[in-house]
């Protein structure tokens, strides 16, 4: 924070609706910074999770240091950091989706001796005003290039911002879907990630969706992650791929093909 002249810290955390929420801190002095980074801050859990009663709603958001990144949108130099939820007595909030996933990973490692890794294929549509120039054919957008793929620049800008925020990206490309209406058009895009521990994969998807929406807002277009926009046109699947890792090595295959652990994983 000192080295980069950061003047604001933003706590980010995914609530029950899956969207990143924000708590802003202006950095007054080093002592205050140390306090919020060490102890987190209280929030109203009943406004974040439907399962929490308003009469006993205190939760604490505590930062996870490895997730920190420089905010790509803020006019004030700002650092964003993802947080975990804790109860008033200092225990992890068990109903938080992130905590459920963390416990699942821990139990999976305990039972199998293997790490559970995952990657997401983040598909989305860019919804904009109709552009008559260089149209893409219906359902023919797969791997199209600019100028036929109108929003390649937005995707590239988002990929750089996501990578700078810690996202491990495999590649990005224009996807199949292209929908043209009377006054608007919808172009499908995809950003695919590399396999990382499942909790990190979930963090990366949450941050990537937030970054894409922010850049879409800058361009005056809507970014939609809806699974289906129009019947007869390609939907956005958010496919999640998984793999098993031991000592840093993928153990999904062996000399015979699919390994025994991979077959067990496929069978559930």
């Amino acid at each position: 924070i000192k080295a980069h002249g950061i003047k604001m810290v933003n706590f980010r955390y995914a609530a029950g609706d899956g969207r990143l929420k924000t708590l802003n801190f202006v950095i007054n002095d080093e002592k205050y910074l140390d306090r919020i980074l060490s102890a987190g801050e209280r929030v109203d859990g009943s406004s974040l999770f439907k399962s929490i009663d308003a009469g006993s709603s205190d939760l604490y958001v505590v930062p996870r240091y490895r997730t920190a990144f420089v905010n790509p949108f803020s006019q004030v130099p700002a650092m964003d950091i993802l947080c975990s939820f804790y109860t008033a007595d200092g225990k992890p909030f068990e109903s938080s989706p992130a905590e459920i996933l963390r416990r699942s990973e821990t139990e999976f490692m305990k039972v199998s001796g293997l790490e559970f890794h995952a990657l997401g294929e983040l598909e989305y549509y860019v919804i904009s005003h109709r552009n008559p120039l260089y149209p893409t054919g219906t359902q023919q957008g797969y791997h199209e290039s600019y100028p036929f793929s109108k929003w390649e620049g937005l995707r590239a800008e988002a990929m750089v911002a996501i990578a700078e925020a810690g996202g491990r990206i495999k590649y990005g490309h224009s996807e199949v879907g292209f929908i043209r209406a009377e006054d608007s058009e919808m172009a499908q895009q995809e950003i695919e990630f590399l396999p990382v521990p499942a909790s990190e994969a979930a963090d990366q998807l949450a941050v990537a969706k937030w970054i894409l929406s922010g850049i879409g807002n800058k361009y005056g277009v809507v970014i939609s992650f809806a699974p289906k926009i129009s019947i007869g046109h390609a939907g956005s699947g958010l496919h999640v791929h998984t793999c098993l890792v031991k000592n840093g090595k993928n153990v999904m295959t062996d000399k015979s093909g699919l390994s025994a652990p991979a077959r067990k994983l496929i069978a559930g």
Side-chain angles (χ1 to χ4, degrees):
I1 287 173
K2 288 181 178 179
H4 293 280
I6 298 297
K7 299 183 182 297
M8 179 172 283
V9 170
N10 302 318
F11 282 4
R12 307 277 183 188
Y13 34 92
D17 61 4
R19 286 163 61 161
L20 284 184
K21 308 302 181 183
T22 306
L23 193 59
N24 306 115
F25 300 90
V26 173
I27 306 306
N28 300 312
D29 53 49
E30 189 170 340
K31 184 177 180 180
Y32 177 67
L33 175 63
D34 182 72
R35 187 189 74 76
I36 63 171
L37 292 180
S38 301
E41 187 53 84
R42 189 195 69 81
V43 296
D44 176 15
S46 65
S47 296
L48 298 171
F49 296 95
K50 293 181 179 179
S51 60
I52 297 180
D53 183 74
S56 54
S57 64
D58 280 2
L59 283 180
Y60 287 81
V61 285
V62 180
R64 289 180 268 127
Y65 302 140
R66 65 172 173 80
T67 66
F69 60 93
V70 175
N71 187 298
F73 304 118
S74 179
Q75 294 182 353
V76 176
M79 183 192 79
D80 290 18
I81 186 165
L82 300 183
C83 299
S84 297
F85 291 100
Y86 286 82
T87 61
D89 57 3
K91 296 180 180 179
F93 177 51
E94 292 187 350
S95 298
S96 165
E99 174 60 17
I100 293 171
L101 179 56
R102 188 197 66 78
R103 292 201 312 271
S104 300
E105 287 179 292
T106 300
E107 183 65 18
F108 187 85
M109 170 64 85
K110 179 181 176 182
V111 171
S112 69
L114 302 169
E115 297 177 28
F116 189 85
H117 287 207
L119 68 89
E121 294 183 22
L122 188 55
E123 296 177 341
Y124 60 94
Y125 273 90
V126 180
I127 304 174
S128 62
H129 292 296
R130 181 166 173 158
N131 185 339
L133 301 177
Y134 300 100
T136 300
T138 301
Q139 295 285 86
Q140 295 180 10
Y142 189 66
H143 287 202
E144 274 284 21
S145 300
Y146 177 83
F148 302 98
S149 174
K150 302 295 191 301
W151 297 104
E152 183 176 318
L154 187 156
R155 186 184 71 240
E157 184 176 335
M159 289 174 67
V160 171
I162 293 166
E164 290 178 347
R168 298 275 294 148
I169 293 175
K170 181 179 180 181
Y171 53 54
H173 60 81
S174 176
E175 254 297 348
V176 170
F178 186 81
I179 306 169
R180 175 161 280 185
E182 184 175 344
D183 297 319
S184 64
E185 62 185 29
M186 310 170 202
Q188 192 179 34
Q189 308 284 319
E190 177 182 315
I191 297 174
E192 185 169 324
F193 292 80
L194 291 166
V196 294
S199 290
E200 293 182 32
D203 285 344
Q204 290 181 19
L205 285 170
V207 171
K209 291 174 74 174
W210 171 73
I211 287 175
L212 276 164
S213 297
I215 294 177
N217 182 66
K218 185 178 79 170
Y219 281 94
V221 298
V222 174
I223 304 295
S224 174
F225 304 100
K228 197 71 172 177
I229 290 182
S230 180
I231 294 173
H233 293 271
S236 297
L238 186 56
H239 310 118
V240 176
H241 304 268
T242 60
C243 69
L244 303 177
V245 174
K246 187 171 185 178
N247 298 325
K249 182 180 179 181
N250 188 327
V251 297
M252 296 293 283
T253 60
D254 56 25
K255 292 181 180 179
S256 63
L258 283 177
S259 66
R263 292 176 186 275
K264 290 181 179 179
L265 180 67
I266 293 168

